[in-house]
Amino acid sequence: MLIKAAVNGGRGRDEHPAIPLTDAEIADAAVASVAAGATVVHAHVRTADGGQSIAPDAVAAMVRAIKAADPSIVVGTTTGLWTCSGHEERMAHLAAWPAGALPDFASVAFSEEGAAEAASLVVARGMVLESAVWHLREVPALLASPTLHENVRILIEPEDESAEEAVAHCRTIAAALREAGVTAPLLYHGYDDTAWPVVRAAIADGAEVRVGFEDMLTLDDGSVAPDNAAMVRLARELGA
């Protein structure tokens, strides 16, 4: 079972004191997560003011920090429009990510403007692509994208607040993708109250899973998670 550790996202220390924010902290979290059983790591560059960035120098610095800690770690990052002023700047940033410090993979959300173009650039730059859909209505755009069959996985990220609805939404999207002939692995992940129910559904369905502070702050029993590694270990136990 593939487990992705999403170690920080956009969360702040006001939500949990162990959220990794600096490059060194992100690298430490990546190493600990892989040691706990994560297959790949997803991290967001964080700025001094608590924001997020995909600026070339910032992405390169984070990637270099992780690779210096352990060059075998497979690391990816976001291309989300919330990290910059819009699609035009996103494309400029992606084009300028240094060739010697590229993430191994990058995520593109098909809920966003210009997703197909961004996904094509990720592939053209030599990175592995994973595409995301948040709602069933985004599936047609993903299916029409020229990079559809370049994806290492498709991320299904329901925004429903009810755990029951989130799980059902994952399964509806998954069925639509499979019926359309998509053969790439699927990964489900939720957020806060839906996170662990979606993890359990992913395991039951044979999908890939994602855990970590980007998605949840607690363990499956509701207790506060001490760190990303603890969430990875629990996911590994649930999937055993």
Side-chain angles (χ1 to χ4, degrees):
M1 180 179 70
L2 181 139
I3 298 176
K4 179 193 287 187
V7 298
N8 60 356
R11 295 199 193 257
R13 293 272 169 74
D14 57 329
E15 295 178 86
H16 195 295
I19 304 291
L21 300 178
T22 68
D23 292 338
E25 291 167 351
I26 292 168
D28 287 346
V31 169
S33 295
V34 170
T39 318
V40 300
V41 173
H42 173 81
H44 292 202
V45 171
R46 302 302 298 276
T47 58
D49 63 359
Q52 302 172 66
S53 177
I54 57 169
D57 289 349
V59 169
M62 183 186 74
V63 170
R64 288 184 176 118
I66 294 170
K67 296 294 188 177
D70 183 346
S72 71
I73 291 176
V74 178
V75 60
T77 195
T78 183
T79 64
L81 289 182
W82 63 86
T83 64
C84 54
S85 64
H87 178 59
E88 184 176 346
E89 185 177 36
R90 167 170 65 183
M91 293 297 287
H93 282 336
L94 293 181
W97 284 0
L102 289 172
D104 296 295
F105 64 94
S107 308
V108 178
F110 271 74
S111 59
E112 296 183 336
E113 173 195 358
E117 187 181 11
S120 294
L121 183 54
V122 167
V123 173
R125 293 292 327 271
M127 290 172 280
V128 171
L129 172 68
E130 51 179 31
S131 296
V133 288
W134 299 352
H135 308 94
L136 182 62
R137 62 179 178 267
E138 295 153 16
V139 169
L142 174 64
L143 295 177
S145 66
T147 56
L148 174 64
H149 298 296
E150 302 284 346
N151 284 286
V152 68
R153 64 187 61 87
I154 305 296
L155 313 180
I156 300 176
E157 310 178 10
E159 294 193 304
D160 309 87
E161 294 184 4
S162 154
E164 182 177 327
E165 291 174 356
V167 168
H169 202 171
C170 283
R171 289 173 167 158
T172 299
I173 293 171
L177 292 170
R178 291 303 187 222
E179 288 168 8
V182 173
T183 58
L186 306 179
L187 182 152
Y188 304 171
H189 73 88
Y191 186 77
D192 283 348
D193 290 345
T194 71
W196 285 107
V198 165
V199 167
R200 291 195 298 272
I203 292 169
D205 293 356
E208 298 178 350
V209 305
R210 190 175 100 162
V211 296
F213 281 134
E214 179 170 355
D215 294 347
M216 67 272 277
L217 300 171
T218 66
L219 300 176
D220 195 24
D221 62 4
S223 62
V224 176
D227 51 30
N228 284 287
M231 291 180 267
V232 172
R233 282 191 293 271
L234 178 55
R236 184 64 65 192
E237 291 168 7
L238 290 174

